[in-house]
Amino acid sequence: MNRMKKIYIIMLVAGLWLSACTEKQIAPISAATGIPDAVTNVQAEPIAGGVIVKYRIPNMEDILGVKAVYQLSNGKTAEKLASFYQDEMTLEGFIDENEHTVTLYTLNRAMQESEPVEVTFRPKQSALSKAAQSMIITRDFGGAQYSWSNEDRGQLNLELIAEDSTGIMAAMRILTTSSKEGLQSLHGYNTDPRWFAAVFRDNFGNASDTIFPTNISGERMQISPLYEEKINKKGMEIMLLNNDQSFSKEGSDANLINDNLDDYGHTEYSNALPAAITIDLGQKVKVSRVVVNARLYNGSYYSWGNPRRFTIYTCDHKPSQSGDWNEWNKVIDCEVIKPSGMDGKDTDEDIEAGQNGAGFSFPLEAEPTRYIRLNITKIWTNNQFCHISEITIYGDPGVE
């Protein structure tokens, strides 16, 4: 290496070192070019819980976008930016129907703001407000039943609240819902009167008032749960009718009702769906709910051959061995919901729900029965087999 090359390399390294040590300066995208023109032709189109603001961006080369500044129903100030490619923006997070103002600013690449342009609007009733108004809390077996509508399919969080053993009101379950219709229950309580309630929250920091069950006069009231117990499985039997599927390919049919979550039953590996399971309860029961525990497979309760959709039927007499579906009364369509709604790895909330099992409440008017049948029509994959860890029945036994 000659002398000139050595000098060149030393200068290059020194230059890179000085460049690395130079403090970075935060500056506008480009130099100031003067205050930009404001947006024009501004229109406000109210929607549920918000507004769609439409506008025309000025014909200037250095426009970066449009900024909206507004105050939410809870008093918090919010901002939203839209690029110059957009000529509208959707602003959400309002839970009242009062008049609100949005202030729009045009931004250029030097981050200079135009003169403000204001537009007023009245948002339509929000998904949170509608859901809160629709909530009905009634007594259920071993607790309370919560039913509501969410016609806008808003992403809502729901707290199911109950009075604990010390008399303190606490959230016993928190769930996320965007379904059009909702039905949930809290169980595990005796028949003593107690307080139950609910609160809806959205992703904008808004919350409903605490919702209580009310009497015919609209006054808050306590609920006395109906009696419920776990039905003893020692008197139960898997009947295996002619058009049922056996779960003995791996494990056994008996594993489905043996109170052991560490084993399971598995159908044949192909052409096993739909898969019907018939259970003789051994006695007549006013059934309150059915809980299905999935098999834990590769760390997930929402994969492989675990049930996702099924229908529950009852029969008020000993069914024919043929399994003729005309003898069975449809009670409820069931779908197992993964709380996170995410594909792939289960979250802690998913795992907790999987460990507890998926519970499905019978209508209060359902007649007592001795025979129950589950017909599984969909699993969590496109395979044609099914496996289940446990099926548990709750209700009031010995009811005629």
Side-chain angles (χ1 to χ4, degrees), residues 20-69:
C21 294
T22 301
E23 183 178 352
K24 292 184 178 180
Q25 299 294 325
I26 299 175
I29 299 174
S30 62
T33 58
I35 295 175
D37 293 342
V39 294
T40 57
N41 293 358
V42 180
Q43 301 174 37
E45 180 183 321
I47 59 174
V51 64
I52 299 174
V53 180
K54 300 180 179 181
Y55 46 82
R56 178 176 293 175
I57 297 177
N59 186 19
M60 301 177 70
E61 290 186 359
D62 66 337
I63 297 299
L64 180 65
V66 175
K67 178 175 74 172
V69 181

Side-chain angles (χ1 to χ4, degrees), residues 69-79 93-94 96 99-103 121:
V69 181
Y70 52 101
Q71 192 174 64
L72 294 170
S73 302
N74 56 20
K76 295 181 180 178
T77 298
E79 292 187 3
F94 301 89
D96 62 60
E99 185 173 272
H100 291 268
T101 299
V102 176
T103 305
F121 69 96

